[in-house]
Amino acid sequence: QVQLVESGGGLVQPGGSLKLACVASGFTFDSATMSWVRQAPGEALEWVATISSVSPNPIYTRSVKDRFIMSRDNEQSTMYLEMNDLRPEDTAMYYCTKAPRRRVYDGTDPWGPGTQVTVSS
């Protein structure tokens, strides 16, 4: 029974920061590649970041590179997305998924229910 639960979203002013968390259970987290994706109202899903089980270096979509930091704590089966210098265009529902970058749009991997991030003045 795979379960992914996101938390940490909220309302923040432009330039502010938030840190999202995703707690995983029901699978071997420390061997799984994990990703963050987001969806703004009326927009398509957008891949945000991916971290593998063997590489220490996450990869990011260009629009968040140098602002967001993805990390994982395998002992706690939790992954994080630290978001800095937030912009209104970052407003979206943020999801974690048990999928590598090449599979995030397939709809075949487990997803969490999401956490809402709203960036507004």
Side-chain angles (χ1 to χ4, degrees), residues 17 48-49 58-70 81-87 90:
S17 298
V48 176
I59 56 173
Y60 305 90
T61 191
R62 182 168 295 182
S63 64
V64 309
K65 189 175 296 184
D66 299 325
R67 297 190 298 120
F68 291 12
I69 301 172
M70 186 179 185
L81 186 67
E82 180 182 330
M83 305 182 296
N84 302 298
D85 191 24
L86 284 161
R87 306 165 181 172
D90 295 317

Side-chain angles (χ1 to χ4, degrees), residues 1 14 18 31 33-34 39 42 47 57 60 63 70-71 74 77-78 88 92-93 104 106 108 120:
Q1 296 180 350
L18 286 173
S31 67
T33 296
M34 304 292 295
Q39 187 170 32
W47 166 73
N57 303 120
Y60 305 90
S63 64
M70 186 179 185
S71 61
N74 287 339
S77 296
T78 303
M93 184 72 75
V104 297
D106 290 352
T108 58
S120 176

Side-chain angles (χ1 to χ4, degrees), residues 2-81:
V2 174
Q3 186 173 10
L4 300 166
V5 181
E6 303 94 340
S7 63
L11 175 64
V12 64
Q13 293 185 337
S17 298
L18 286 173
K19 187 174 183 179
L20 309 183
C22 173
V23 179
S25 62
F27 63 98
T28 306
F29 178 78
D30 60 7
S31 67
T33 296
M34 304 292 295
S35 295
W36 286 97
V37 298
R38 65 185 181 184
Q39 187 170 32
E43 302 293 331
L45 287 167
E46 180 186 21
W47 166 73
V48 176
T50 295
I51 189 167
S52 77
S53 63
V54 297
S55 173
N57 303 120
I59 56 173
Y60 305 90
T61 191
R62 182 168 295 182
S63 64
V64 309
K65 189 175 296 184
D66 299 325
R67 297 190 298 120
F68 291 12
I69 301 172
M70 186 179 185
S71 61
R72 65 192 298 163
D73 184 339
N74 287 339
E75 293 183 353
Q76 296 188 342
S77 296
T78 303
M79 68 183 210
Y80 303 93
L81 186 67

